[in-house]
Every structure is written in C-alpha cells, then in structure tokens.
C-alpha cells in the first residue's frame, strides 16, 4: 500500500513536470503553425484576391491541430450572419476558440487584435499589416524557442526531483 | 534515536543539491535559494526535538 502511494506521488509529480515542459514545446509548434497560416493568408490576399471567409476556410484545410480548427471556426463565423466583418467579431468568441491552445495571454491578445484589424483598409495596407505581424510572430517564435530550450529540461527534472523529495519527506 | 533519520537527511541533502544545480543552470537563482531554504527548514523540523533533548540533557547533567 505504501509503495503504491509512493509510486502514485512520483508518477503524478513527474507527469506535472512533463506536462509543463510539453506546453513550451507545443507553444513553439502552434506559433509556427500560426505564422504559416498568416503567410498563406498573405498569399491568398495578394495573388488570388480571395475574400476573407473563403481564404480562412482554404487555409484552415492546410493547417493542423488547434490552428486548423481556429481558421475553420473563424471562416464559419464570418459566413454566418451575412458575411460579418472581421472587426465586428466578438472578442470573447475568438478567445474561446483559442482556449485549448498552449499560447500565452500575450499571444492570444496579439492574435485577437490582428484578427480584428484584418480587412479594414485597402490591399496595400493589409499587406503591410500582415508583414508587420509576420515579423512580430517570428520574434515571438525565436523567444519561445529560447524559452523552450531553457525550461524543457528544467521542468522535467523539477517534476521528477520534487516527486522524490515528497516521497523522502513522508517516508 | 531512530537511525533512519540520518539517511532521510542525507537523501534530502542530495536532492536539494541536485535541485539547486538544475535551477542555477536555468538562471533561476532565486528559486534555487528558496529550495535550499525549504530543505533546511524541513531538516530542522525533523531534528529540532533531538536538539531540544540534547539541551535538556546538558542542563540536567550540569544541574543548571
């Protein structure tokens, strides 16, 4: 019984540590996926002049995971209610779509403000906006990669060691 | 006195030193110091009544 308890504590602590390190890894992946989506959107607007709801739908098909669903849902939201504009989309609804992503609060706010500013002026200004956002996301990806390198091993080790620590204390 | 407490203290010492190293390498000096302090407090908590016993013994021995 005692050994079982120890095992459970150890597994739980290691699990928490591994989950935390996994979040950092996933954040980099999701930011890369978001950047890919934005580059595709830029191409769609620049070369095909696709309207935003269709562009989002097309891009959604090309992406994976959370971003795939995010683009699809935004496209669906735009298509309902007689082609809403981007700025009229509800912030809370967009936030809800990102709820199971590993992005942090700052990333979410950036994505929401970007989404809301889409389709406001002419093509040229949209291109500039997209370019600016891509540069910003690239910076965020670089920072997230550094964070991942630093924290990935740390959280794994911390989880396992704290598990052993608790076991030793209660032994 | 239970001899197992010595092994427990040794285990905590090893764990804390490893944790300290890991946190130091990750640039989290503050947390490293906090863990060391936490380890110290835990060990002190275990040995405090032995220390108090020792003081009482000394007091009785010299009739202070």
């Amino acid at each position: 019984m005692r050994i079982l308890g120890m095992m459970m504590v150890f597994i739980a602590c290691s699990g928490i540590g591994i989950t935390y390190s996994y979040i950092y890894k996933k954040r980099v992946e999701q930011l890369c996926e978001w950047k890919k989506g934005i580059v595709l959107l830029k191409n769609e607007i620049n070369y095909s002049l696709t309207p935003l709801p269709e562009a989002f739908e097309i891009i959604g098909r090309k992406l994976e995971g959370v971003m795939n669903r995010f683009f699809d849902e935004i496209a669906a939201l735009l298509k309902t209610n007689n082609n809403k504009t981007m700025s009229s989309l509800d912030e809370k609804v967009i936030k809800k779509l990102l709820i199971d992503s590993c992005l942090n609060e700052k990333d979410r706010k950036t994505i929401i403000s970007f989404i809301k500013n889409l389709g406001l002026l002419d093509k040229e200004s949209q291109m500039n906006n997209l370019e600016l956002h891509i540069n910003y996301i690239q910076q965020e990806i670089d920072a997230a990669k550094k964070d991942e390198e630093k924290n990935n091993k740390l959280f794994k080790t911390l989880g396992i060691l704290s598990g052993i620590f608790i076991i030793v204390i209660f032994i | 006195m239970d001899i197992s407490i010595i092994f427990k203290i040794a285990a905590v010492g090893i764990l804390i030193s490893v944790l300290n190293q890991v946190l130091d390498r990750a640039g989290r000096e503050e947390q490293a110091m906090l863990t060391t302090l936490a380890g110290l407090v835990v060990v002190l908590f275990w040995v405090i009544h032995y220390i108090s016993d020792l003081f009482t013994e000394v007091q009785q021995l010299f009739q202070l």
Side-chain angles (χ1 to χ4, degrees), chain A residues 58-121:
Chain A
I58 294 165
I59 295 161
R61 274 185 241 134
K62 291 176 185 164
L63 298 178
E64 287 165 12
V66 182
M67 285 305 157
N68 165 10
R69 214 177 52 242
F70 180 72
F71 275 80
D72 275 350
E73 295 278 343
I74 293 280
L77 276 176
L78 288 171
K79 280 189 173 172
T80 51
N81 291 344
N82 303 325
N83 287 340
K84 269 185 181 176
T85 56
M86 287 302 238
S87 50
S88 66
L89 285 178
D90 192 5
E91 209 168 288
K92 279 179 193 160
V93 177
I94 307 174
K95 224 174 194 175
K96 241 182 207 169
L97 295 176
L98 289 169
I99 211 150
D100 48 353
S101 68
C102 296
L103 303 171
N104 62 25
E105 201 52 40
K106 193 178 150 204
D107 298 334
R108 284 174 205 196
K109 272 185 185 156
T110 320
I111 289 177
I112 291 168
S113 75
F114 169 76
I115 289 277
K116 290 206 131 207
N117 284 328
L118 263 179
L120 275 185
L121 294 166

Side-chain angles (χ1 to χ4, degrees), chain A residues 107-159:
Chain A
D107 298 334
R108 284 174 205 196
K109 272 185 185 156
T110 320
I111 289 177
I112 291 168
S113 75
F114 169 76
I115 289 277
K116 290 206 131 207
N117 284 328
L118 263 179
L120 275 185
L121 294 166
D122 64 331
K123 191 179 128 191
E124 203 57 45
S125 69
Q126 281 196 58
M127 283 297 116
N128 291 337
N129 193 11
L130 285 162
E131 197 60 53
L132 194 75
H133 190 69
I134 290 169
N135 286 338
Y136 175 76
I137 289 294
Q138 189 52 52
Q139 280 174 16
E140 283 294 306
I141 290 171
D142 293 341
K145 272 184 185 161
K146 269 186 195 160
D147 259 8
E148 191 210 344
E149 263 174 41
K150 214 169 72 178
N151 292 325
N152 201 1
K153 266 189 186 168
L154 172 78
F155 277 111
K156 272 183 199 161
T157 326
L158 218 60

